Amino acid sequence: MVKALLIFLMQFLVLCLGKWVGPTYKGVSCKHSPLSSHDISSLTHMLAQKMDSPLRHELNLALGLARQAALISRTVLSEFLLTHQKSEVDSVTKSDFSPVTVADFAIQALLAGTLSKAFPDDGLVGEESADELRKDPRLLHKVAAVLKVAKGWEARDENHVCDVIDLCKGEGKGRTWVFDPIDGTKTFLKGQQYAINIALLAEGEGWRGREEVMSVVACPLLDWTLGAMGGATVINDASVDKTGKGAVIYCVKGHGVFVEPLFNKTDDEKPRRVPQHASQVTAIEELKSVTCWQSLDSGVDTMHERVAERLGMDFPGNDLLGWVNRWVCLALGLANTTIWVYKKRERKAKIWDHAGAMLLFKEVGGKITDVDGKDIDLTQGRLLGQNFGFLAAPQRVHGLVLEALKEAMRERENLNTVSGST
């Protein structure tokens, strides 16, 4: 009798745990397969934490929003690419009436409008402000029109669009949503890799201050099966998914990373739990790089190349412009190491390019610090004011990578740009 009762309870818990990652939103099916009953070690690990995530509702909503935001971006981008020549695309900047401007504003309005209504006590931090929209009625009208593509939130009028966008102008205190509507401006304009980043931060325990607790990243042009078969797959910004399904990758702290199709998911396409691949790396020979090679003026390309040589890594390896895409690449196991040294000490990273997306790599066994070995401090507002650059690597070899970086920095001919002297 007791044995039968224990079997029944175990089956019930397996079912409940499977339902934790099975949200739906506004009619969009996001069904997940339950955990495999034979994976006792994984099941025990999850049972040791909690049967159900306290952030189930937040994850449910964020997944639906990611899909709606991706639909906005895809609609705007498709219209733009159909009506412009390549030479025109290359000349567009974010200050123009470009699709990235329209998509940025529309997606931020969707996210801010929905989240502020669902969680009125939470803070909001986003990249955009509505100042430009208020000065240009034509642009505002276009943004409001694009918003009608999405479901789940509707602005009262065009002034309301501006008001909700401006809810994100602060620095956020307490529990805070952070998002980047379009990460990868230049590549978005070319129909190449970009990402939509949605993160949730909460007050941490003790010295931790504020920490990442949830991440949802939509990658409309990324193949969701990448990393599933292992191997030596290397991607760049032009590695566009031919199926049109894209990828959404997400996690709640302590519950692992999952990836599934962003669009047109079938019943046969079950969400995939990403293994903790970075926790298995024990030697520098296993390191794989992701960087942004010769595409941004902010980093020291020669420094990154020199460290890769010291570590025996193929370089540049995966080559992606957007930071969020780089964090996704690390999480999926296409890479497990990235180093970024800014040219100037005073250069500070923006929180929406990293918050949440970093958690994806941590959940698969990665460790992230700045180039001085300091933990990333998310308590400083919109900028990561206490940190300089980034170093992400598997936990067991992070110290070796850090030492190689410090040696390369010491040997650099002009140390002023990395030592703090100006």
Side-chain angles (χ1 to χ4, degrees), residues 44-51 253-256 273:
T44 303
H45 174 69
M46 293 187 72
L47 286 174
Q49 297 173 35
K50 278 192 175 180
M51 186 183 75
K253 183 182 176 184
H255 289 270
R273 181 167 187 159

Side-chain angles (χ1 to χ4, degrees), residues 62-356:
L63 282 169
L65 282 172
R67 287 185 163 86
Q68 295 298 324
L71 179 61
I72 288 176
S73 71
R74 190 169 68 171
T75 300
V76 173
L77 181 61
S78 297
E79 179 183 348
F80 178 77
L81 293 178
L82 283 173
T83 56
H84 288 74
Q85 301 296 323
K86 184 178 185 303
S87 59
E88 294 176 308
V89 173
D90 290 341
S91 66
V92 171
T93 67
K94 195 171 179 179
S95 60
D96 301 324
F97 295 139
S98 69
V100 73
T101 302
V102 174
D104 268 332
F105 283 129
I107 292 172
Q108 184 158 314
L110 170 71
L111 298 178
T114 306
L115 293 171
S116 62
K117 183 176 181 180
F119 308 107
D121 295 330
D122 290 359
L124 300 173
V125 173
E127 183 174 6
E128 309 299 335
S129 79
D131 294 346
E132 185 178 350
L133 288 181
R134 296 182 192 278
K135 296 175 184 177
D136 194 321
R138 185 163 61 102
L139 179 59
L140 174 56
H141 182 72
K142 192 170 184 178
V143 170
V146 167
L147 265 170
K148 295 179 181 178
V149 171
K151 299 177 181 178
W153 181 79
E154 185 175 346
R156 294 190 298 270
D157 51 39
E158 292 183 352
N159 286 331
H160 187 209
V161 173
C162 293
D163 291 341
V164 296
I165 288 173
D166 279 344
L167 291 175
C168 309
K169 293 174 73 172
E171 297 188 350
K173 294 182 179 179
R175 207 175 86 146
T176 302
W177 294 87
V178 178
F179 34 81
D180 190 346
I182 298 288
D183 182 70
T185 300
K186 295 178 182 178
T187 45
F188 174 79
L189 290 171
K190 296 178 180 179
Q192 297 180 341
Q193 290 298 333
Y194 67 97
I196 298 162
N197 188 31
I198 304 173
L200 180 60
L201 309 182
E203 295 299 323
E205 300 177 359
W207 62 271
R208 292 182 181 276
R210 188 165 64 169
E211 60 181 352
E212 305 155 294
V213 294
M214 192 186 81
S215 172
V216 175
V217 175
C219 300
L221 300 178
L222 187 71
D223 183 349
W224 79 283
T225 65
L226 286 173
M229 302 302 173
T233 303
V234 175
I235 64 171
N236 55 38
D237 288 311
S239 303
V240 174
D241 176 25
K242 303 299 183 183
T243 70
K245 289 181 175 290
V248 58
I249 180 169
Y250 52 94
C251 71
V252 171
K253 183 182 176 184
H255 289 270
V257 175
F258 295 82
V259 60
E260 62 180 88
L262 183 60
F263 301 112
N264 304 321
K265 180 184 170 187
T266 67
D267 291 338
D268 294 333
E269 293 172 325
K270 305 299 182 182
R272 174 168 56 90
R273 181 167 187 159
V274 181
Q276 287 196 317
H277 56 84
S279 65
Q280 306 303 314
V281 175
T282 59
I284 60 174
E285 290 80 12
E286 301 172 73
L287 298 181
K288 297 179 291 185
S289 171
V290 60
T291 190
C292 177
W293 177 240
Q294 297 182 334
S295 296
L296 288 176
D297 293 332
S298 64
V300 187
D301 283 329
T302 54
M303 176 69 67
H304 306 149
E305 186 175 24
R306 188 174 302 150
V307 175
E309 290 175 355
R310 284 177 172 273
L311 296 170
M313 283 194 299
D314 290 337
F315 190 84
N318 300 272
D319 186 5
L320 297 165
L321 178 72
W323 259 111
V324 176
N325 278 120
R326 280 181 257 174
W327 293 121
V328 167
C329 182
L330 288 163
L332 292 178
L334 304 177
N336 54 31
T337 305
T338 193
I339 296 164
W340 196 255
V341 182
Y342 289 116
K343 289 182 178 179
K344 297 183 178 181
R345 268 282 169 178
E346 53 267 29
R347 176 66 183 262
K348 302 300 178 184
K350 302 175 180 66
I351 193 170
W352 48 78
D353 288 334
H354 305 279

